[in-house]
Amino acid sequence: MNNSFQDAVVTKYNIFNSLFLSLPYRGVFQTGSLLPILTQQSEIGFQEGKSPKEIMEHFFSELLETASPKERTDLLFQFIQYIERQVVLFDSVEDAAFDQTHDLSGKGSVTYLTERLDSDDLKKKLLTKLEDYSVRIVLTAHPTQFYSGKVLGIINDLEDAIRINDFTEVNQLLLQLGKTAFINHEKPTPFDEAVSLCWFLENVYYDAIPAIMEKLINGLGMSVHNWPYPNVFRLGFWPGGDRDGNPFVNPEITLKVADRLRETVLRGYYRDIRTLKRRLTFKGVDEAISLAEKKMNSTIFGPFEQGYESAQELIEELLNAREVLVTKHQGLFVELLDNFILKLNLFGFFFASLDVRQDSRKHAKAWEDILKRLEKKIPLLKYSDYEGWDEAKKIELLLSLNIPLRDEDYEDELTKDILGSIRAIKTIQEKNGEKGAHRYVISNNTSALNVMQVLALAKNLIADENGKLAVDVVPLFETVDDLANAPEIMRTLYNNEFYRSHLANRENHQTIMVGFSDGTKDGGYLRANWSIYRAKEELTKVSREFGIKVTFFDGRGGPPARGGGNNHSFYSSLGSDIEDKEIQLTVQGQTISSNYGTVTTAMYNLERLFSAGLENHLFRGNRAEDELTEDDKVLIEEMAEAAYNSYLDLKNHPKFVQYLDKKTPLRFYGQTNIGSRPTKRGNDDEGLKFEDLRAIPFVGSWAQMKQNVPGFYGFGTAIKQIGENGKIDAIKELYKRSLFFRTLIENSMQSLTKAFFPATKYLRDDEDYKEFWDKMYDEFLLTRDLLLDVAGQKELLESNNVTKVSIKTRERIVLPLITIQQYALQMLAMDPKELPVDVETYNQLIIRAMFGIINAARNSA
């Protein structure tokens, strides 16, 4: 695929890129003419060991000798704007050529899957599996995705024009792109984030998921009308529900976002009904479709009492119309009606399930408030006594309470918010259906008590008359210690009579979330991934022991350092000791737009997730050698422990936090206006503490520095140490045999490929950071060399040329941005009195450069 990518993407990009020079905007020609020179001087300068400051000063002296300092920095801002649009162009060219650079019907596709079902037994096995199997991707609005709806619309049109080589249209769209602002002048609200992501729901998933379903149904030789598995694909949504560390999310926002999700899918249905109306013009059918149009209009705009109360009500009307269509009109256009009913079954009136998430420590604070108020009414119950009780006694008390929980009884805004957020779940269910909001995720879950605190609140707030709760409480285990303790925490819960009764009412189903992001931040790349794998094995074991169906919900970010990379291979590689009834993962930042941003790319990646989750169940017998043996697990554990100790040695370095704070763009993340959530927990006046750092700006800062430490650090040391113990051949053999281990290495290779240490080599001249920089660079070289040796490759990503060439091209496009940003960071380290322009100008250069660097990487944070 390498040559096809070069021809269909890189060459085509270079041709369309030339159109920028003809744009009739002031300074564009000069900017476009000088930018390649800066790119070339950056490449040569870094090869010669020059610092970004030296490269920029050489550029200024050679080409802008008579320009004032302000004119020089103005040009740098113009470069940034130009490169941002080059990144969009490259994205569009790459996406337009996706079907040429990827085998859409190849391995991992639904077509490939169904063609492999060469016996009735395999087909039956699949259909049995589909009874309780699904793929759920959950869109999250973490601060790495900042394109507004208007820019996304241009990108979508640009891709279409590029696909058919319409130079006139491309030129017009580039003109529009040049005039359209890319960045937010104000920080978006959680509702703004929700609206932005609704664009993808409406323009991508609404068409992509039904199209996959139709391929699957047709491939199995079944009928859309009789398809009994509507939940094979599901969508989740976090903006407006995720209040962990986000003070701007409140119950009103949660309800408003749920309404927006409902409105978005209803508008899609309304458009489809109007399309149906143009085809189903037959007696006895047209009346039903006209009535559906009228009632759907009322459902959206009012009067609401004349509309539909639920999707099922509309489905039943359409099924009656279908009966007439089949019996009296030869079933003409019945496939259009069936496909629309399929959408109704998929998306209901909710479109995507809105999850609520909050930190466990907040629930503890709310219960402190509640119990102290109760203490005033029942003097025998003292909160000070409660604090000293063991966990079992605390749980017993909380579950025994039957008390009214009214907002007006409390002054603390946190308590009110938690009570309101739980009530909001019931309100959403009443309007959108139970699937509209049925999960409460507890981040930083460290005990069984954390789960029971939420369950006890819900019991008093939203239980029905029989005491049943239509909500799933989902503990999120993130740190290395929490992952290790997770099995015992779940055992405690499963042994609790009240909790078991609750699970029985939820079909004995338990969802458990594991967080790659904070796991990596806490324990490093290899330790986090292996801790999650082992935790899943143990959680599967304990859940099976109690007869509980467990589903793992993976909190994944974009880059390998946060659980990203090749997720399809990861899920295909899980052994029989890990439950695989469902695949659930978060999708965020550039991963949304790059992997799921068009119907074609969304179908490609969703199909491969779907197939990956079925691989073990259907075809494990064909590849039993992929299963990790006990010896394999011991070997990976040894490496994980060595990598962990190496990462801890770096993390505990006295310069670690100081380096992040003083030398990276970390402190600028909060000023980018690309997310509603603060970049760290805790108060600003407390100073920077490692434990308060959020994973996204933490990993993102390393990506901005082109060091990508969380995506590889310790891996090389681990292989070296274990190899020196005579096990290097065992490691190489494991790579050849285990898809899981191979995926770990190849995903880490992505982090290494995107690293570029020459950009920060100037820090070796700083006595405070010389030793720290050398430490990181030495591990980079060691990891790169040993991963290549283990994989038997001569260069990184040798086995994935499409990804390799894409990264190489993108990194060259943004190289000037890296130079500009590092130059600005260098200037800020100087005495402000000696600066040619004011400090704020350099601050803005750093911030503005961040956007292009983030977007070019596509999965950088």
Side-chain angles (χ1 to χ4, degrees):
M1 286 286 182
N2 187 16
N3 290 335
S4 65
F5 189 89
Q6 185 71 35
D7 295 339
V9 179
V10 180
T11 301
K12 202 168 185 180
Y13 163 75
N14 289 329
I15 293 169
F16 281 116
N17 186 40
S18 64
L19 292 176
F20 276 115
L21 290 176
S22 65
L23 295 181
Y25 299 137
R26 183 177 61 84
V28 163
F29 184 80
Q30 182 192 30
T31 305
S33 301
L34 293 177
L35 184 56
I37 299 173
L38 178 58
T39 300
Q40 186 179 42
Q41 290 193 0
S42 294
E43 288 175 329
I44 295 170
F46 285 131
Q47 285 174 7
E48 294 175 349
K50 291 181 179 177
S51 72
K53 184 170 179 285
E54 290 171 329
I55 291 170
M56 290 307 311
E57 287 176 347
H58 175 70
F59 176 78
F60 289 149
S61 63
E62 235 188 26
L63 298 163
L64 299 168
E65 186 178 2
T66 60
S68 68
K70 183 179 184 305
E71 288 171 334
R72 291 177 174 183
T73 53
D74 283 348
L75 179 63
L76 298 187
F77 281 113
Q78 289 172 21
F79 281 159
I80 291 170
Q81 290 176 316
Y82 196 100
I83 294 168
E84 283 175 340
R85 284 151 180 81
Q86 285 183 311
V87 170
V88 167
L89 177 62
F90 188 80
D91 284 349
S92 300
V93 173
E94 188 170 17
D95 288 343
F98 194 84
D99 58 347
Q100 298 173 56
T101 57
H102 295 76
D103 187 355
L104 302 186
S105 298
K107 187 175 181 180
S109 69
V110 163
T111 301
Y112 183 80
L113 173 72
T114 54
E115 286 176 350
R116 292 169 74 194
L117 302 175
D118 52 9
S119 70
D120 289 339
D121 285 345
L122 266 180
K123 182 178 176 181
K124 185 178 179 181
K125 195 174 182 181
L126 171 63
L127 294 177
T128 301
K129 176 71 173 176
L130 293 181
E131 290 175 3
D132 63 355
Y133 174 77
S134 71
V135 172
R136 183 197 298 233
I137 60 169
V138 180
L139 306 187
T140 71
H142 288 321
T144 57
Q145 176 63 48
F146 68 92
Y147 288 143
S148 63
K150 57 191 176 185
V151 175
L152 289 170
I154 299 171
I155 293 171
N156 190 64
D157 295 341
L158 187 59
E159 180 194 330
D160 291 341
I162 288 170
R163 187 177 290 110
I164 59 174
N165 295 319
D166 187 339
F167 279 81
T168 302
E169 180 69 8
V170 170
N171 194 56
Q172 288 293 106
L173 290 167
L174 291 180
L175 278 166
Q176 184 183 1
L177 206 60
K179 284 285 190 180
T180 304
F182 270 42
I183 63 170
N184 300 310
H185 294 292
E186 295 180 359
K187 191 177 282 288
T189 67
F191 184 70
D192 293 334
E193 292 173 330
V195 170
S196 177
L197 289 187
C198 279
W199 188 93
F200 291 98
L201 292 178
E202 183 176 8
N203 293 282
V204 178
Y205 301 103
Y206 186 77
D207 295 317
I209 291 177
I212 297 172
M213 294 290 289
E214 290 167 36
K215 282 177 67 175
L216 176 63
I217 294 165
N218 292 334
L220 292 171
M222 297 176 70
S223 162
V224 173
H225 173 58
N226 295 317
W227 180 251
Y229 316 112
N231 293 319
V232 170
F233 286 97
R234 290 183 288 173
L235 294 168
F237 208 74
W238 271 20
D242 180 11
R243 59 228 322 114
D244 176 18
N246 192 334
F248 307 110
V249 177
N250 56 44
E252 291 72 29
I253 287 289
T254 302
L255 293 171
K256 189 178 177 184
V257 169
D259 284 344
R260 183 59 177 243
L261 288 168
R262 183 175 189 270
E263 178 187 324
T264 301
V265 77
L266 293 182
R267 287 176 182 273
Y269 293 157
Y270 184 71
R271 289 192 294 270
D272 281 355
I273 290 171
R274 290 178 65 85
T275 300
L276 283 173
K277 190 178 177 183
R278 295 176 63 182
R279 293 290 172 265
L280 302 181
T281 54
F282 322 122
K283 185 177 180 181
V285 180
D286 59 343
E287 297 92 334
I289 302 303
S290 294
L291 177 63
E293 179 189 19
K294 182 179 179 182
K295 289 179 72 173
M296 183 54 69
N297 188 71
S298 294
T299 308
I300 300 170
F301 303 108
F304 301 113
E305 64 276 7
Q306 295 178 20
Y308 292 105
E309 288 190 7
S310 68
Q312 192 57 41
E313 184 183 343
L314 172 56
I315 289 170
E316 288 171 5
E317 288 184 6
L318 294 176
L319 287 175
N320 290 333
R322 185 186 191 279
E323 181 69 20
V324 177
L325 185 62
V326 171
T327 57
K328 296 186 177 181
H329 303 288
Q330 294 78 49
L332 190 59
F333 297 125
V334 70
E335 70 281 357
L336 297 179
L337 186 57
D338 284 345
N339 291 339
F340 179 56
I341 294 172
L342 178 66
K343 283 184 178 178
L344 290 167
N345 280 313
L346 281 169
F347 303 128
F349 276 10
F350 63 95
F351 214 161
S353 297
L354 183 60
D355 290 345
V356 173
R357 183 172 78 132
Q358 182 57 284
D359 189 287
S360 64
R361 292 165 289 194
K362 304 295 186 182
H363 306 131
K365 289 291 291 180
W367 270 113
E368 179 181 351
D369 195 12
I370 293 166
L371 293 175
K372 283 183 175 178
R373 183 179 185 279
L374 204 57
E375 180 181 326
K376 295 174 183 176
K377 294 189 173 186
I378 310 173
L380 292 177
L381 176 61
K382 294 188 179 298
Y383 181 75
S384 57
D385 293 337
Y386 168 86
E387 279 189 298
W389 293 351
D390 63 21
E391 182 181 66
K393 192 173 181 181
K394 287 179 179 178
I395 289 173
E396 184 182 358
L397 171 71
L398 296 185
L399 293 178
S400 71
L401 295 174
N402 291 295
I403 52 177
L405 295 173
R406 297 179 293 260
D407 289 3
E408 59 268 22
D409 292 336
Y410 301 94
E411 295 182 4
D412 190 278
E413 290 302 318
L414 171 64
T415 304
K416 290 181 178 182
D417 178 73
I418 288 175
L419 299 181
S421 66
I422 294 175
R423 282 200 202 91
I425 292 174
K426 187 170 186 178
T427 303
I428 294 168
Q429 290 182 349
E430 289 169 350
K431 190 171 184 180
N432 294 10
E434 184 180 316
K435 291 180 181 178
H438 64 94
R439 305 203 303 189
Y440 195 111
V441 182
I442 307 168
S443 56
N444 192 46
N445 197 107
T446 61
S447 67
L449 176 62
N450 292 159
V451 173
M452 292 305 202
Q453 286 167 335
V454 171
L455 200 66
L457 287 170
K459 178 177 81 78
N460 284 280
L461 287 165
I462 61 172
D464 67 13
E465 61 275 9
N466 297 315
K468 293 182 179 180
L469 285 166
V471 64
D472 301 306
V473 183
V474 182
L476 166 53
F477 302 109
E478 301 175 86
T479 67
V480 172
D481 287 343
D482 289 346
L483 288 164
N485 295 332
E488 196 54 40
I489 290 171
M490 296 313 300
R491 180 177 294 278
T492 301
L493 289 169
Y494 293 156
N495 271 316
N496 182 277
E497 186 178 341
F498 184 91
Y499 195 75
R500 280 304 305 274
S501 176
H502 169 65
L503 287 183
N505 292 326
R506 305 299 293 167
E507 300 180 338
N508 281 317
H509 178 249
Q510 172 70 56
T511 300
I512 298 172
M513 188 173 182
V514 291
F516 285 79
S517 299
D518 282 284
T520 303
K521 181 170 81 80
D522 180 52
Y525 175 75
L526 186 55
R527 175 79 273 175
N529 277 274
W530 184 237
S531 292
I532 287 170
Y533 188 98
R534 293 311 301 265
K536 284 183 174 182
E537 283 191 323
E538 292 302 313
L539 288 165
T540 297
K541 184 178 177 181
V542 71
S543 297
R544 288 173 177 172
E545 180 186 328
F546 283 88
I548 303 299
K549 295 180 290 185
V550 67
T551 292
F552 295 111
F553 175 21
D554 291 327
R556 294 181 177 275
R562 296 186 49 242
N566 190 336
N567 287 330
H568 319 135
S569 294
F570 175 84
Y571 287 112
S572 294
S573 71
L574 299 182
S576 57
D577 293 332
I578 293 177
E579 199 64 81
D580 61 356
K581 291 185 181 300
E582 297 183 35
I583 287 179
Q584 295 190 14
L585 68 155
T586 54
V587 184
Q588 55 192 250
Q590 286 69 47
T591 309
I592 297 174
S593 53
S594 62
N595 289 2
Y596 304 93
T598 68
V599 172
T600 303
T601 56
M603 287 182 65
Y604 178 88
N605 286 294
L606 283 171
E607 285 184 43
R608 276 145 188 80
L609 280 177
F610 173 77
S611 297
L614 297 169
E615 193 71 26
N616 287 318
H617 182 76
L618 295 174
F619 307 111
R620 182 178 292 129
N622 299 338
R623 48 185 196 82
E625 70 279 1
D626 283 355
E627 292 273 330
L628 292 174
T629 66
E630 287 306 311
D631 287 344
D632 294 336
K633 292 175 182 178
V634 169
L635 180 61
I636 299 176
E637 176 60 36
E638 289 178 13
M639 285 189 283
E641 192 59 22
Y644 181 47
N645 290 330
S646 174
Y647 178 74
L648 282 184
D649 182 54
L650 180 75
K651 193 172 80 170
N652 294 331
H653 192 285
K655 296 297 182 184
F656 188 87
V657 174
Q658 184 180 330
Y659 179 84
L660 282 169
D661 192 25
K662 304 296 183 185
K663 294 299 177 182
T664 79
L666 176 70
R667 62 191 185 276
F668 296 99
Y669 260 82
Q671 302 173 48
T672 54
N673 292 334
I674 55 177
S676 67
R677 201 164 64 166
T679 57
K680 74 181 188 73
R681 299 175 175 91
N683 299 320
D684 288 335
D685 55 6
E686 293 176 352
L688 184 65
K689 293 187 291 186
F690 179 81
E691 57 271 22
D692 289 337
L693 282 175
R694 289 197 171 280
I696 290 171
F698 173 77
V699 173
S701 295
W702 293 112
Q704 293 282 318
M705 296 294 283
K706 308 309 293 180
Q707 292 170 328
N708 294 335
V709 162
F712 71 84
Y713 201 92
F715 212 158
T717 293
I719 294 173
K720 181 173 183 286
Q721 288 183 10
I722 307 306
E724 287 173 349
N725 293 335
K727 297 183 180 180
I728 190 64
D729 288 340
I731 295 173
K732 290 180 179 180
E733 178 60 29
L734 181 64
Y735 174 84
K736 292 177 184 176
R737 196 166 35 79
S738 167
L739 179 59
F740 172 76
F741 189 62
R742 200 155 58 245
T743 302
L744 277 183
I745 284 185
E746 290 175 2
N747 282 344
S748 189
M749 281 183 173
Q750 280 199 38
S751 294
L752 294 165
T753 303
K754 293 177 183 179
F756 185 64
F757 275 82
T760 56
K761 191 178 179 181
Y762 67 89
L763 290 168
R764 295 193 77 250
D765 297 330
D766 189 323
E767 284 303 315
D768 285 341
Y769 298 103
K770 179 183 185 301
E771 186 261 338
F772 184 72
W773 190 91
D774 282 344
K775 190 178 183 69
M776 293 186 292
Y777 185 53
D778 289 344
E779 182 66 25
F780 165 80
L781 294 176
L782 180 66
T783 303
R784 182 196 64 188
D785 293 346
L786 288 182
L787 290 192
L788 287 172
D789 181 50
V790 167
Q793 297 180 17
K794 294 181 180 179
E795 58 180 329
L796 295 170
L797 297 179
E798 186 178 290
S799 61
N800 190 342
N801 275 319
V802 169
T803 300
K804 183 181 71 176
V805 176
S806 176
I807 290 173
K808 182 179 178 181
T809 308
R810 290 172 179 280
E811 293 301 314
R812 190 169 195 275
I813 290 171
V814 297
L815 183 61
L817 282 188
I818 295 162
T819 306
I820 291 168
Q821 187 184 72
Q822 290 297 326
Y823 161 71
L825 285 166
Q826 271 191 281
M827 297 301 284
L828 287 178
M830 295 171 54
D831 185 339
K833 296 176 184 176
E834 298 178 9
L835 294 175
V837 294
D838 60 280
V839 167
E840 183 55 28
T841 298
Y842 293 112
N843 287 341
Q844 288 303 312
L845 280 173
I846 293 166
I847 292 167
R848 291 289 284 110
M850 289 173 74
F851 297 108
I853 295 172
I854 286 172
N855 279 320
R858 286 205 136 181
N859 64 358
S860 63

